[in-house]
Amino acid sequence: MIKDELTTLIEKAIKKAQRKGDLPKYESPPVTVERPKQAAYGDYSTNIALQSARLARKSPMDIAAAIVKRLPKADFIGLVDIAHPGFINFTLDAGWLARQVEAIRAAGERWGNVDIGQGRRVQVEYGSANPTGPLHVGFGRNVVIGDTLANVLAAAGYQVQREYYVNDAGTQIQLFGRSLYARYAQALGREAELPENGYRGQYIVDWAQEIAAMAGDKYLRMDYEEAVQALADLGIREKALGSVRADCERLGIIYDHWFSERSLYTDGTFDHVMSLLRQGDHLELREGAVWFKAAELGGDKDEVLIRSTGEPGYFASDIAYHYDKFITRGFDWVIDVWGADHQGHVPRMKAMMRALGLDPERLTLLIYQLVTLKEAGEDVRLSKRAGTMVRLSEVLDDVGPDAVRFFLLANAIDSQMDFDLTLAREQSQENPVYYVQYAHARIASILRHAAEQGWTAERYADGDVSLLNHPSELTLIRKMLELPEIVEMAARNLAPHHLPHYAQDLAATFHAFYRDCRVVSSDPADEELTKARLKLVEASKITLARVLGLMGVSAPERM
RNA sequence: GCCCCCGUAGCUCAGUGGACAGAGCGGCGGACUUCUAAUCCGUUGGCCGCAGGUUCGAGUCCUGCCGGGGGCGCCA
């Protein structure tokens, strides 16, 4: 990447300046190259002269001059200038810029890839909710963040696995089974009451009726506990996960692996991990329960693993689960995408890593702030058990997957967001996603028009991109060249919101080019320029499609 | 009480310690006989919550306060 090459050149220049005596000998701070906010300051800029002033005991302006004097030549550097109080600004060479159009076309759908992952294996686990009902819209943020991040990390050179953790064990599942049983019995005309704190949602009634219609009174004839277990299983596998899978598919999300919590208990992982913890002296029996001594490992308090009833809790499963991720499956890095309501669990997870002898840095608990749902400005209270929830699928019906993904992606994960259903329905037409998609459709339209005029790809294959020197053309190329940097930034900071912002920026730059530069000309004198511009337009299409693809948003050929 | 996140234009939000703080929406005024006007151009609009501190330089880092959200269970 240009940014890195530039950094290297500047480092070399500093060393050389020191060798030649232009600069005193001192340990240079790390060179950082950034993109200035103002276009007038060029494409890249470094503040290294300012950083070094004290160490070199020279004025920043003098240091900058010494560095620039010794800067090695490079084909991509057009202009280097020094600006007060000591910035060194670089402007890319116009000819080099134009040539990058060919580089983008050659890279095709790989354009934007970087290699900071170097093939390291990372697992992104997201979406994992109790499979006891349909996904509600708040969870949309979880799956959209997780899935987009997985895309970004794959583009950044990681080997990525997408996983859904199926919580098919534990007390909530019991409760779910009992609730389903009650509704099932009712569906068959029996008297039955929902358990206390049972799941009250209408969807349980619907599912119970479907099961009754299919299986008749089969479960009533079984032993109650057996029937509850069987119904819970059926409900999870056929109903709940089915609806999760369907919602995800509409959002373009396909998991590589669905991991069963219960399998940890049936395959011996859980017992093995418990004995490891016991050997490490991380467990303690207190008041009939087994505690994990998290406090002495940096947790904020000790945690119950196995309740006095003998039932393991959720955290116990989590330890076994992460043992499986790191030790059994050997992931280098694991990212769990969690809502802010789980933020308090971070310290105990880190403690768990230490107890297993693993570097806590290898586990990232990515916390996003919750989505508050509104209906015409009013808060909507959400509870799966109480049955008051807005299903993700309903919002997908109303607004469409592209707008939902774009909207949920646009904010930094640290900022809480309101999702006003009324507003979303009304304003879905104003969603910026259409602005970006429109740019793509417009490009497709230009290429169609060109083809109709006889400008097939073969006919402009010999186009000379060095003819591209209009300011709007060069601005567009510059913007496209940012893509790898955006991918890198999004990957390093686990910050997918950079993508929609960049996408809008890119679309705006394209629209400006479209305004200023006629692509397909009927004037024979413009034939060569038309060819070059068609290549530019093609590169724009590649770039736009790539960023949309990373966001999981479709890139339409027409609108 | 303690812990985490946020507070930037009327609204929704960007802003990797740098150079005059940006975008979209909204408001106002313009541009379709031309490859898609779901577009473009102009304009309006800011004690970056408040108070200190660190730094050559703070919207960005630190401390305190105020306001909003989330958490602190033998629930998940």
Side-chain angles (χ1 to χ4, degrees):
Chain A
M1 217 182 303
I2 288 306
K3 211 168 168 176
D4 303 325
E5 290 182 43
L6 205 49
T7 305
T8 311
L9 292 183
I10 296 164
E11 283 165 351
K12 279 186 185 159
I14 293 169
K15 288 216 178 78
K16 190 165 184 191
Q18 289 182 323
R19 262 202 319 277
K20 301 275 185 184
D22 301 336
L23 284 177
K25 301 261 192 283
Y26 61 92
E27 183 74 22
S28 173
V31 174
T32 55
V33 170
E34 61 177 17
R35 282 191 175 268
K37 285 177 196 166
Q38 304 264 336
Y41 296 128
D43 295 303
Y44 294 96
S45 139
T46 182
N47 61 359
I48 189 65
L50 289 151
Q51 302 281 8
S52 312
R54 187 182 300 171
L55 290 160
R57 292 204 210 120
K58 281 173 86 89
S59 81
M61 294 299 282
D62 289 346
I63 299 171
I67 294 173
V68 170
K69 184 177 161 196
R70 299 299 178 186
L71 197 73
K73 294 267 171 289
D75 62 345
F76 58 86
I77 299 178
L79 215 77
V80 184
D81 58 343
I82 300 168
H84 236 79
F87 294 102
I88 307 174
N89 295 330
F90 302 88
T91 303
L92 293 168
D93 177 74
W96 180 86
L97 272 173
R99 287 197 295 282
Q100 299 318 298
V101 169
E102 296 289 14
I104 294 169
R105 292 176 70 239
E109 55 190 26
R110 290 186 318 279
W111 169 238
N113 283 1
V114 291
D115 190 18
I116 60 176
Q118 300 181 312
R120 279 192 295 269
R121 293 180 62 221
V122 55
Q123 183 199 63
V124 186
E125 182 216 321
Y126 55 96
S128 314
N130 262 337
T132 54
L135 286 181
H136 73 71
V137 80
F139 252 88
R141 190 170 196 194
N142 188 309
V143 293
V144 166
I145 287 173
D147 190 62
T148 303
L149 222 42
N151 292 342
V152 166
L153 290 171
Y158 288 92
Q159 210 182 309
V160 181
Q161 193 209 42
R162 299 146 202 267
E163 179 152 295
Y164 188 102
Y165 181 48
V166 181
N167 300 117
D168 53 2
T171 49
Q172 285 301 316
I173 300 308
Q174 282 274 319
L175 195 60
F176 170 66
R178 290 179 205 285
S179 305
L180 197 50
Y181 186 95
R183 293 304 194 192
Y184 164 77
Q186 287 169 356
L188 292 168
R190 307 294 170 92
E191 281 284 312
E193 273 195 23
L194 269 184
E196 206 178 334
N197 294 323
Y199 288 82
R200 316 203 146 269
Q202 177 60 34
Y203 65 91
I204 298 275
V205 177
D206 298 342
W207 292 351
Q209 280 171 355
E210 289 166 27
I211 292 169
M214 266 175 49
D217 65 352
K218 174 179 161 193
Y219 298 98
L220 287 181
R221 286 183 275 114
M222 291 165 69
D223 168 67
Y224 175 70
E225 290 301 334
E226 256 178 61
V228 164
Q229 186 63 54
L231 281 171
D233 279 355
L234 188 69
I236 291 169
R237 277 201 324 278
E238 302 294 326
K239 305 299 177 187
L241 289 184
S243 90
V244 169
R245 213 181 290 257
D247 287 351
C248 284
E249 251 166 54
R250 290 180 70 185
L251 284 165
I253 296 168
I254 294 169
Y255 283 99
D256 298 312
H257 195 221
W258 299 71
F259 189 96
S260 155
E261 178 183 4
R262 197 186 302 157
S263 74
L264 294 165
Y265 294 90
T266 54
D267 72 4
T269 304
F270 179 80
D271 291 333
H272 177 60
V273 170
M274 283 305 128
S275 77
L276 281 179
L277 292 177
R278 203 168 298 120
Q279 280 164 33
D281 194 28
H282 298 300
L283 301 184
E284 197 168 81
L285 203 62
R286 233 182 278 162
E287 294 146 25
V290 177
W291 292 71
F292 172 62
K293 296 191 277 181
E296 59 188 38
L297 289 166
D300 37 26
K301 57 185 171 47
D302 292 348
E303 307 282 347
V304 168
L305 286 190
I306 301 175
R307 295 192 276 266
S308 48
T309 59
E311 287 266 325
Y314 174 90
F315 181 45
S317 298
D318 253 5
I319 299 181
Y321 181 35
H322 285 80
Y323 174 91
D324 184 88
K325 293 187 187 199
F326 286 103
I327 311 288
T328 309
R329 286 188 279 168
F331 285 105
D332 297 306
W333 183 23
V334 169
I335 300 171
D336 295 347
V337 181
W338 285 359
D341 52 344
H342 286 64
Q343 151 269 125
H345 296 176
V346 172
R348 75 184 198 189
M349 294 296 283
K350 296 290 182 180
M352 175 267 311
M353 290 293 284
R354 293 189 189 96
L356 294 176
L358 297 165
D359 180 359
E361 291 289 303
R362 288 171 62 193
L363 175 64
T364 299
L365 288 323
L366 191 69
I367 307 289
Y368 63 92
Q369 297 301 308
L370 299 178
V371 179
T372 42
L373 231 45
K374 306 228 169 190
E375 183 86 66
E378 295 289 312
D379 275 23
V380 181
R381 278 266 154 240
L382 292 174
S383 165
K384 215 185 273 185
R385 276 205 298 265
T388 58
M389 50 180 267
V390 182
R391 297 185 185 194
L392 181 55
S393 59
E394 295 169 38
V395 179
L396 289 173
D397 291 341
D398 284 344
V399 180
D402 286 339
V404 167
R405 277 197 81 127
F406 200 93
F407 178 81
L408 290 174
L409 234 33
N411 288 17
I413 65 171
D414 278 341
S415 80
Q416 64 202 40
M417 51 193 303
D418 290 346
F419 193 105
D420 191 311
L421 294 158
T422 315
L423 224 56
R425 274 175 224 131
E426 278 172 11
Q427 297 192 339
S428 66
Q429 288 314 304
E430 288 160 24
N431 191 307
V433 75
Y434 300 115
Y435 178 83
V436 179
Q437 290 181 316
Y438 182 70
H440 187 271
R442 192 176 230 182
I443 289 171
S445 167
I446 294 171
L447 294 175
R448 274 196 304 273
H449 174 80
E452 281 160 20
Q453 306 296 311
W455 294 104
T456 57
E458 299 81 60
R459 212 182 127 202
Y460 64 80
D462 66 342
D464 177 9
V465 292
S466 69
L467 296 172
L468 300 170
N469 56 16
H470 187 284
S472 295
E473 292 169 334
L474 296 177
T475 303
L476 178 56
I477 297 168
R478 285 188 160 93
K479 191 51 74 180
M480 294 194 288
L481 291 177
E482 281 180 35
L483 180 62
E485 291 170 27
I486 298 293
V487 169
E488 178 176 345
M489 180 161 56
R492 281 197 200 284
N493 303 330
L494 301 179
H497 73 277
H498 293 303
L499 297 174
H501 287 276
Y502 171 70
Q504 284 181 80
D505 223 14
L506 178 61
T509 310
F510 181 80
H511 288 310
F513 158 77
Y514 178 86
R515 176 196 68 224
D516 294 337
C517 301
R518 174 84 199 179
V519 178
V520 182
S521 170
S522 46
D523 186 341
D526 291 337
E527 188 166 322
E528 289 309 312
L529 188 59
T530 292
K531 287 183 182 177
R533 283 185 172 166
L534 280 169
K535 284 187 167 181
L536 175 60
V537 166
E538 209 182 280
S540 308
K541 190 172 187 229
I542 288 169
T543 310
L544 224 26
R546 186 72 211 275
V547 66
L548 285 168
L550 288 171
M551 289 189 285
V553 172
S554 64
E557 290 293 311
R558 20 183 127 235
M559 284 175 78

